[in-house]
Amino acid sequence: MPGSLDDEAVTRMGYALRNAGLNTHLTAQSEIYSGAVDLFLAGNRRSMARGAVIGVHSWADGFGEGAAYPRDAREHRGNVAYTRDMLGSAAFYWFSLQAAPSSGIHEMTQAEIARYGLLTEPIRN
């Protein structure tokens, strides 16, 4: 699943998934990128099979890359709040901004997935 064209819609959908008590799971063939990762984070329980791909990058708004804005800029507020609400910390958001520019993608390693708490269960074989 690729990214999104409407970040606000993704955020609303993510909160709806979380509030509905739904879980998210990636099969070994799953590939999620950008906004699709935000939806994955909404799962109350988040799991994945070995072989799944999670790809992240910075955002751009027509004026610049998200990583170029100061950390206290209002442009970060919604994403920081969403990531904190889903994971308990905004560390993953800040990581994703630095991982790749908006025109690129960084496929996360298992160590990065663990470090930023994307999963609530161990990776399945």
Side-chain angles (χ1 to χ4, degrees), residues 24 28 56 105:
T24 52
V56 298
I105 201 77

Side-chain angles (χ1 to χ4, degrees), residues 38-97:
D38 293 334
L39 289 179
F40 175 74
L41 298 181
N44 282 288
R45 291 182 28 220
R46 299 175 302 277
S47 60
M48 70 181 271
R50 193 170 310 284
V53 175
I54 299 176
V56 298
H57 63 158
S58 181
W59 51 265
D61 63 3
F63 299 103
E65 292 282 320
Y69 286 90
R71 281 192 171 218
D72 62 352
R74 67 175 180 76
E75 288 82 359
H76 293 300
R77 289 181 193 154
N79 291 320
V80 165
Y82 180 83
T83 307
R84 197 175 282 144
D85 288 345
M86 297 303 153
L87 299 178
S89 163
F92 171 69
Y93 171 69
W94 300 117
F95 162 77
S96 67
L97 288 180

Side-chain angles (χ1 to χ4, degrees), residues 23-42:
N23 301 322
T24 52
H25 174 72
L26 303 176
T27 68
Q29 295 77 34
S30 295
E31 295 181 18
I32 60 171
Y33 301 96
S34 191
V37 177
D38 293 334
L39 289 179
F40 175 74
L41 298 181

